[in-house]
Every structure is written in structure tokens, then in C-alpha cells.
Amino acid sequence: PVLCLDDTLSALDAETEEVVLGHLRGLFRARCLIIVAHRYSAVMHCDEILHVVDGRVTERGTHEELLRLGGAYASVWEKQRISESLDKA
């Protein structure tokens, strides 16, 4: 079985998103879960992340690998972290 979530978490606050993702991780341990998201916190725990720009995969790896790569994914991740911290202030 495959479940595809197409940006379904975008309307949730960060805390609720983490609760939902925690439940999904438990339910889909041995299944395929595809998450399409603009907010990288929704995919950071995934086994594999595909960074797509204009319909093309530009980077591929785990969250940690993509951060070490220092490319577009890492750049957007940093901007989202800063934006999130400013929203909390």
C-alpha cells in the first residue's frame, strides 16, 4: 500500500504537524508514504528526500546528506528555520 500526501500538512501549525507525522511514521513503518511538501520540516525524517525544481529532481538524499551538500535544499531549510524562529518571537 502507498499513501501520498500532497501538501496536506501545510495548514497545520508546527506542533500539530509533528504530532500527525509521528502517528504516520508509526502507521507506515513497513509501507510506502510519499509526502509532497513545501515546508521541509514535514519531510526531514523521511528515508529519502527528492528536491524538485521546475519538475526536475535537483538533489536527492536524506535530510542530513542534503544539508551537508549545501545546495538549494540546505539554503531553503535555513530560510525556513529563520522564518519559523521569527514567527515564534
Side-chain angles (χ1 to χ4, degrees), residues 1-4 23-35 46-48:
V2 175
L3 175 64
C4 182
H23 287 296
L24 288 172
R25 279 192 291 275
L27 290 170
F28 281 85
R29 281 204 196 287
R31 299 183 185 115
C32 182
L33 175 61
I34 299 169
I35 301 174
C46 291
D47 295 331
E48 184 172 30

Side-chain angles (χ1 to χ4, degrees), residues 23-84:
H23 287 296
L24 288 172
R25 279 192 291 275
L27 290 170
F28 281 85
R29 281 204 196 287
R31 299 183 185 115
C32 182
L33 175 61
I34 299 169
I35 301 174
V36 178
H38 291 93
R39 197 167 20 173
Y40 289 9
S41 58
V43 299
M44 66 184 285
H45 298 292
C46 291
D47 295 331
E48 184 172 30
I49 300 168
L50 303 178
H51 186 264
V52 179
V53 176
D54 296 328
R56 301 188 69 158
V57 176
T58 59
E59 298 174 20
R60 181 180 196 160
T62 65
H63 176 73
E64 292 78 18
E65 290 168 343
L66 293 173
L67 290 181
R68 278 194 303 269
L69 184 64
Y73 179 92
S75 176
V76 174
W77 170 256
E78 188 59 29
K79 289 175 187 171
Q80 287 184 4
R81 279 183 7 128
I82 291 169
S83 176
E84 186 177 300

